[in-house]
Amino acid sequence: AQKITQTQPGMFVQEKEAVTLDCTYDTSDPSYGLFWYKQPSSGEMIFLIYQGSYDQQNATEGRYSLNFQKARKSANLVISASQLGDSAMYFCAMRLTSRGTYKYIFGTGTRLKVLA
Amino acid sequence: SQTIHQWPATLVQPVGSPLSLECTVEGTSNPNLYWYRQAAGRGLQLLFYSVGIGQISSEVPQNLSASRPQDRQFILSSKKLLLSDSGFYLCAWSVQGAVETQYFGPGTRLLVL
């Protein structure tokens, strides 16, 4: 079965600390992409970071990094130096190829609260 | 630069009434287009995707339908809304053939009473 699992419904982190949000995925396709999105209370989905299945290096974008462990099928998001504005829902997603186009599967999300 | 618009932002409709949500993309050509629904406190469920004008694929059977009358326009419709249709509807686009991300619109909050 193709799915994304986020086991942490909610997380707290102290401001300026680092936090890791867990994501595991399941697919037998050799080619796939992994994404993290941030959804603030306003509702829009904001793209954070992308990792391709063939990428050798872990992706990084500013304070965001993706800890990609292919053998374990995990793609955890690490946020360094947390800020109050990081408080939001975070979704892990997987892109697969289906019938000549892409298909996206999302996890159920993790709600992060940054404490002052 | 590319932008994606959705309207209306919020909608309250009675059960049994029709629905039409519109999504338009600017600044790109021949995008893949997607409709998602997010129930309160839940993840995203893919409803429809389209790779071109008039080409619609449905992921989940339901009383909703989608159409793509123009390259950058994607419409979500229903003839008769159900209570279970309430949720947050997000439209997204991605570049055809590229190995990159989806970009989401601001969403429409639908409440069916």
Side-chain angles (χ1 to χ4, degrees), chain A residues 3 8-9 11 13 24 27 31 41 48 51 53 64 66 86 92 106 108:
Chain A
K3 69 176 190 177
Q8 307 155 313
M11 290 278 288
V13 64
T24 58
T27 181
S31 178
S41 56
L48 296 178
Q51 178 88 39
S53 60
Y64 304 108
L66 199 152
D86 294 334
C92 180
F106 283 75
T108 53

Side-chain angles (χ1 to χ4, degrees), chain B:
Chain B
S1 64
Q2 300 90 358
T3 55
I4 179 169
H5 304 279
Q6 282 187 249
W7 63 90
T10 306
L11 192 59
V12 180
Q13 291 284 94
V15 169
S17 63
L19 173 74
S20 180
L21 303 181
E22 190 163 343
C23 170
T24 58
V25 181
E26 296 177 358
T28 188
S29 295
N30 202 25
N32 289 332
L33 295 172
Y34 306 81
W35 276 114
Y36 288 89
R37 176 169 60 203
Q38 184 179 26
R42 307 287 294 277
L44 273 68
Q45 179 187 38
L46 179 63
L47 301 175
F48 300 95
Y49 66 90
S50 170
V51 300
I53 296 174
Q55 300 178 63
I56 309 294
S57 295
S58 173
E59 289 294 308
V60 181
Q62 61 230 317
N63 70 321
L64 299 171
S65 62
S67 61
R68 186 170 177 175
Q70 301 180 45
D71 179 45
R72 290 169 288 176
Q73 184 184 31
F74 205 22
I75 297 172
L76 183 69
S77 305
S78 174
K79 293 182 179 177
K80 287 186 178 182
L81 283 168
L82 306 173
L83 288 173
S84 58
D85 291 325
S86 293
F88 188 51
Y89 288 83
L90 285 157
C91 180
W93 69 274
S94 65
V95 177
Q96 284 213 17
V99 188
E100 289 299 337
T101 187
Q102 289 182 316
Y103 297 94
F104 286 82
T108 294
R109 296 192 186 278
L110 172 65
L111 179 60
V112 183
L113 300 175

